[in-house]
């Protein structure tokens, strides 16, 4: 049995940021990682993926992008390297190959069982990621076996799919990116579109994520957000990082030949049935985008930035077909593959502390979990809107480790 | 925020949402209608009781609806056609939604009018062409809203009302239907 004041679970950027602040306070700790540093980037991403956040936004505590192209977007090997380097410069005490199999409370702290060793500690930081498993809806069970099904964890590149039609489900960042590359590969794509977040890649000459950052939208705190449950469920925006800085919304996909249909509602007798409500899904996204751009403009005016920026822009409403397809026969051979781009969920199967709700979400208040000494990092809107992004971890990790240090100090003195 | 008076008790709805988050059983409602055939394609439908919040409930009064077909269908036109009841439901549901969302957003409404047009190719129900479906091919709802709000805010009201509409969902998404002989 090994002992440490704190155990951090996961060596992604979140766990490493926690380690950075623990080290700064000279708190003895170990970072347990089932694979290698930056494991999710090594194993769970597709080949063409680049970050959708620009390079200059890749900032971690004490470590940031210093290359020649601040406005570019990192490839996956570059992100892996960037995080690996962060682990090195912060001398993070990472134990790789240590899969955490159980965490439970003991009298004065926690017992952490791993595939390598067992630990006793007083505090645990859960930084195991928000995207451990693909979230695939139940109706996938009813898809005929003649159709191949892939999640974004299995998907690597178009050439590995059978030729023929592909039904991509979900129109968030992942869905629009895969729809575009599959369509370009000559496979006719049908994209099933539910609620989504539309954004232009650039606005008034700046990256739209520069606006999110500079205008303070991303800094909005979890206790200031109107409907936190909703904000935490918000899908990723329709963005892609490409050298051309091109917008990849539905209006960009339609001319490529991608066929838009509504939300996939059911499978009946081998027929996929889609919602007839697509028009409203796109109206909601258009209206929300316009409101966000209004917010940006108001900020630019108030901040005295107006003249440094290009003129305000408003983008064409999303075009949808006059009447969308409501049914598609999955046995006809038209669709050879279904790609589920329906999001991700965390995996807490190893967490033997009753802090996960019926829907599988960890219950916490700004990263502070109800069970004393237990903390979380890297979850959606953990403390701020930017929490899951690389640039969002510094503020969150500092605050959470502050709390953790206070907790340990109080215990020591009592 | 100035108080607006659209007559929707939004606070009660918000309170109910909080309570039902922790009590999903109480949120299970059963709506009922009972039809009785009269003659020809004319029937009378009565609605009064329903189930919800864990117990039997009742409307203040029974409502009675006549359903028939128009004379161009060689019927007696004792009431509207069943498929028209669907757009009655859609129009009333979306309108109620607009009022509720406006109340919640502090927007005073002066008037709200909705017209609905459902495109229906009756060759389907007549069995004249097996490629034509029985139901609507297309439904279009047009709102005229007069309110203390910008056009963008009004569009957002109408969009949000669709997002939370029971009938919009029932018409745009498939529903399991079981019909049996007792
Ligand atoms: C497809 C995709 C694209 C993204 N693009 C961007 C982007 O462009 N910009 C941006 O800022 N953010 C982006 N993100 C969001 C975010 O940066 C990533 O999800 C990032 O990986 C989150 O870092 P993390 O440290 O919280 O979790 P992870 O990187 O997932 O790290 C968690 C670590 O915990 C380990 N682990 C999990 N369970 C256990 C266990 N039981 N025992 C031991 N170890 C365990 C994992 O192996 C992993 O190494 C993207 C996310 C996804 C999914």
């Amino acid at each position: 049995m090994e002992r440490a004041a704190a155990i951090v679970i996961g060596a992604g950027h979140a766990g490493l940021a926690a380690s950075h602040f623990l080290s700064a306070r000279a708190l003895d700790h170990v970072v347990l990682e089932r694979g290698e540093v930056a494991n999710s980037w090594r194993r769970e991403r597709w080949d063409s993926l680049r970050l959708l956040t620009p390079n200059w936004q890749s900032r971690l505590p004490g470590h940031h992008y210093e290359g020649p192209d601040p406005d570019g977007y990192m490839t996956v090997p570059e992100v892996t390297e960037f995080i690996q380097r962060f682990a090195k410069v912060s001398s993070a005490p990472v134990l790789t190959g240590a899969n955490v199999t159980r965490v439970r409370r003991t009298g004065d702290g926690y017992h952490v069982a791993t595939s390598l060793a067992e630990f006793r500690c007083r505090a645990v930081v859960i930084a195991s990621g928000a995207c451990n498993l693909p979230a695939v809806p139940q109706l996938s069970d009813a898809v005929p076996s003649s159709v191949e099904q892939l999640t974004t964890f299995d998907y690597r590149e178009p050439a590995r799919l059978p030729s023929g039609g592909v039904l991509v489900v979900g129109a968030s960042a992942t869905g629009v990116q895969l729809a575009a590359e599959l369509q370009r590969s000559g496979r006719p794509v049908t994209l099933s579109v539910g609620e989504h977040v539309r954004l232009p890649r650039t606005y008034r000459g700046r990256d739209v994520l520069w606006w999110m950052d500079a205008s303070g939208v991303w800094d909005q705190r979890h206790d200031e957000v109107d409907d936190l449950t909703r904000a935490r469920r918000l899908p990723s925006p329709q963005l892609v990082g490409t050298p051309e800085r091109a917008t990849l919304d539905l209006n960009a996909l339609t001319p490529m030949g991608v066929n838009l249909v509504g939300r996939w509602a059911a499978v009946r007798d081998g027929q996929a049935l889609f919602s007839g409500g697509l028009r409203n899904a796109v109206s909601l996204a258009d209206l929300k985008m316009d409101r966000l751009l209004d917010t940006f403009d108001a900020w630019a005016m108030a901040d005295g930035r107006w003249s440094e920026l290009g003129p305000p822009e408003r983008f064409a409403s999303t075009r949808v077909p006059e009447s969308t397809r409501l049914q598609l026969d999955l046995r006809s051979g038209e669709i050879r593959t279904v790609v589920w781009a329906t999001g991700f969920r965390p995996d807490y199967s190893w967490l033997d502390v009753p802090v996960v709700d019926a829907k599988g979400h960890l219950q916490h208040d700004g990263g502070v979990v109800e069970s004393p000494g237990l903390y979380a990092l890297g979850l959606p809107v953990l403390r701020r809107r930017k929490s899951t992004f690389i640039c969002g971890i510094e503020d969150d990790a500092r605050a959470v480790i502050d709390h953790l240090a206070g907790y340990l100090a109080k215990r020591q003195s009592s | 925020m100035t108080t607006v008076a659209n007559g929707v008790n939004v606070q009660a709805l918000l309170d109910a949402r909080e309570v039902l988050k922790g009590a999903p059983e109480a949120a299970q409602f059963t709506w009922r209608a009972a039809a009785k055939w009269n003659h020809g394609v004319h029937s009378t439908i009565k609605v009064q009781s329903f189930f919800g919040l864990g117990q039997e409930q009742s409307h203040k009064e029974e409502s009675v609806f006549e359903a028939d077909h128009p004379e161009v269908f060689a019927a007696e036109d004792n009431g509207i056609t069943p498929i028209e009841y669907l757009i009655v439901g859609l129009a009333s549901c979306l309108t109620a939604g607009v009022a509720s969302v406006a109340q919640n957003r502090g927007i005073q409404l002066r008037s709200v009018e909705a017209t609905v047009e459902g495109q229906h190719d009756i060759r389907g129900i007549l069995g004249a062409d097996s490629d034509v479906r029985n139901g609507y091919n297309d439904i279009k709802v047009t709102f005229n809203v007069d309110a203390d709000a910008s056009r963008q805010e009004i569009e957002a009201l109408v969009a949000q009302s669709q997002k939370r509409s029971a009938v919009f969902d029932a018409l745009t998404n498939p529903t399991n239907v079981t019909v049996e002989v007792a």
Side-chain angles (χ1 to χ4, degrees):
Chain A
M1 183 77 63
E2 316 216 8
R3 282 170 197 277
I7 291 286
V8 177
I9 303 173
H13 73 255
L16 296 169
S19 169
H20 171 94
F21 288 110
L22 287 166
S23 296
R25 291 171 172 274
L27 286 169
D28 102 87
H29 67 282
V30 183
V31 181
L32 301 176
E33 168 56 53
R34 62 180 168 187
E36 296 169 76
V37 168
N39 209 51
S40 306
W41 295 101
R42 293 175 201 269
R43 315 210 174 263
E44 295 164 3
R45 309 283 190 258
W46 58 96
D47 293 354
S48 68
L49 178 68
R50 283 171 182 266
L51 289 189
L52 48 78
T53 42
N55 289 333
W56 63 266
Q57 266 178 358
S58 290
R59 345 172 249 233
L60 290 166
H63 180 58
H64 57 90
Y65 176 84
E66 284 174 332
D69 183 17
D71 293 326
Y73 308 91
M74 288 185 198
T75 61
V76 169
E78 286 166 344
V79 185
T80 308
E81 165 71 21
F82 178 76
I83 295 172
Q84 180 82 55
R85 203 135 24 92
F86 177 48
K88 207 163 198 172
V89 297
S90 51
S91 310
V94 182
L95 182 61
T96 55
N99 185 28
V100 173
T101 51
R102 191 171 179 210
V103 172
R104 65 185 168 84
R105 253 197 95 71
T106 56
D108 63 341
Y110 295 88
H111 178 264
V112 179
T114 79
S115 51
L116 290 184
E118 311 221 336
F119 295 83
R120 257 180 207 292
C121 59
R122 304 230 317 267
V124 172
V125 181
I126 301 173
S128 49
C131 305
N132 304 119
L133 299 166
V136 177
Q138 191 84 58
L139 62 87
S140 62
D141 293 347
V143 173
S145 56
S146 56
V147 174
E148 195 168 320
Q149 299 188 55
L150 287 180
T151 69
T152 50
F153 274 32
D154 318 313
Y155 178 86
R156 288 292 170 266
E157 49 148 348
R160 298 213 202 162
L161 266 62
S163 54
V166 185
L167 173 56
V168 176
V169 192
S172 302
T174 305
V176 295
Q177 291 181 24
L178 300 192
E181 77 176 24
L182 286 162
Q183 181 75 32
R184 280 196 206 100
S185 78
R187 292 167 179 77
V189 170
T190 302
L191 178 64
S192 169
V193 181
E195 250 185 78
H196 56 275
V197 179
R198 180 185 180 197
L199 285 183
R201 180 71 263 186
T202 58
Y203 180 61
R204 300 180 67 174
R206 298 290 189 109
D207 197 295
V208 76
L209 299 182
W210 173 84
W211 287 91
M212 292 297 240
D213 183 67
S215 69
V217 171
W218 260 359
D219 281 327
Q220 198 183 22
R221 293 172 48 94
H222 70 293
D223 46 12
E224 297 166 353
V225 172
D226 266 350
D227 186 343
L228 186 58
T229 315
R230 215 181 117 67
R232 286 183 169 160
R233 273 197 339 239
L234 201 68
S236 59
Q238 291 173 336
L239 285 177
V240 61
T242 58
E244 304 76 38
R245 298 219 278 172
T247 293
L248 189 58
D249 56 10
L250 300 178
N251 276 353
L253 290 172
T254 299
M256 293 171 60
V258 171
N259 190 3
L260 307 180
V261 297
R263 191 167 170 277
W264 190 351
V267 179
R268 189 182 287 160
D269 305 329
Q271 304 274 336
L273 304 181
F274 303 106
S275 166
L278 176 63
R279 200 171 296 276
N280 193 46
V282 306
S283 309
L284 282 164
D286 285 355
L287 285 160
K288 255 179 240 160
M289 176 179 71
D290 284 347
R291 274 206 298 275
L292 183 67
L293 301 181
D294 288 345
T295 310
F296 290 166
D297 289 341
W299 166 79
M301 187 65 94
D303 206 57
R305 297 269 195 149
W306 195 265
S307 56
E308 320 166 6
L309 297 158
E313 305 167 77
R314 286 298 174 267
F315 301 92
S317 305
T318 302
R319 294 181 304 277
V320 289
E322 211 28 67
S323 65
T324 58
R325 263 178 104 168
L326 301 174
Q327 291 196 19
L328 202 159
D329 188 350
L330 294 169
R331 292 162 311 193
S332 69
E334 180 186 344
I335 296 296
R336 300 290 308 281
T337 318
V338 170
V339 177
W340 297 102
T342 34
F344 305 92
R345 61 190 175 85
D347 175 13
Y348 297 119
S349 54
W350 43 268
L351 183 58
D352 197 4
V353 185
V355 289
V356 177
D357 71 13
K359 295 204 163 176
H361 300 299
L362 188 72
Q363 297 294 89
H364 67 91
D365 179 15
V368 181
V369 181
E370 188 82 51
S371 179
L374 194 57
Y375 297 87
L377 280 173
L379 301 178
V381 202
L382 185 100
R383 299 183 68 85
R384 292 170 193 273
R385 283 202 186 270
K386 63 183 177 187
S387 286
T388 30
F389 293 94
I390 291 171
C391 62
I393 201 64
E394 179 160 0
D395 288 347
D396 281 12
R398 183 186 297 109
V400 162
I401 298 306
D402 259 4
H403 193 290
L404 183 154
Y407 169 74
L408 291 184
K410 204 158 60 206
R411 303 234 15 241
Q412 207 115 51
S413 60
S414 63
Chain B
M1 195 167 85
T2 52
T3 41
V4 299
N6 295 325
V8 182
N9 189 345
V10 167
Q11 196 51 49
L13 297 176
L14 294 176
D15 292 347
R17 178 167 84 170
E18 280 317 302
V19 171
L20 294 179
K21 262 186 197 165
E25 332 73 58
Q28 308 310 312
F29 274 64
T30 306
W31 303 106
R32 303 186 184 116
K36 195 168 167 40
W37 174 65
N38 297 314
H39 177 74
V41 290
H42 174 207
S43 56
T44 302
I45 304 91
K46 294 182 176 173
V47 178
Q48 182 161 26
S49 77
F50 60 94
F51 180 90
L53 304 178
Q55 61 186 48
E56 278 301 316
Q57 308 272 359
S58 178
H59 285 288
K60 272 196 282 193
E61 280 172 30
E62 182 180 69
S63 292
V64 180
F65 303 92
E66 302 297 333
D68 200 346
H69 285 77
E71 288 175 351
V72 292
F73 279 57
E76 289 173 0
D77 209 1
N78 290 299
I80 63 172
T81 43
I83 202 161
E84 286 170 298
Y85 277 106
L86 285 182
I87 55 176
V88 170
L90 181 63
S92 51
C93 194
L94 291 177
T95 307
V98 166
S100 309
V101 179
Q103 183 76 39
N104 193 31
R105 294 187 178 176
I107 295 174
Q108 179 63 56
L109 299 171
R110 281 185 290 272
S111 80
V112 179
E113 285 170 22
T115 51
V116 189
E117 281 186 5
Q119 306 302 330
H120 188 201
D121 183 341
I122 67 163
R123 286 177 302 171
I125 51 174
L126 292 174
D129 186 335
S130 58
D131 291 336
V132 174
R133 69 180 286 185
N134 296 337
Y136 287 119
N137 287 309
D138 216 47
I139 296 177
K140 185 160 190 225
V141 186
T142 310
F143 268 97
N144 273 299
V145 179
D146 182 13
D148 289 328
S150 67
R151 180 174 177 91
Q152 203 184 12
E153 285 168 328
I154 290 173
E155 284 177 3
L157 283 184
V158 172
Q160 185 66 19
S161 136
Q162 291 167 74
K163 187 175 153 179
R164 285 276 164 262
S165 164
V167 181
F168 183 85
D169 174 73
L171 281 172
T172 53
N173 289 307
T175 306
N176 241 335
V177 180
T178 309
V179 181
E180 52 186 25
V181 176

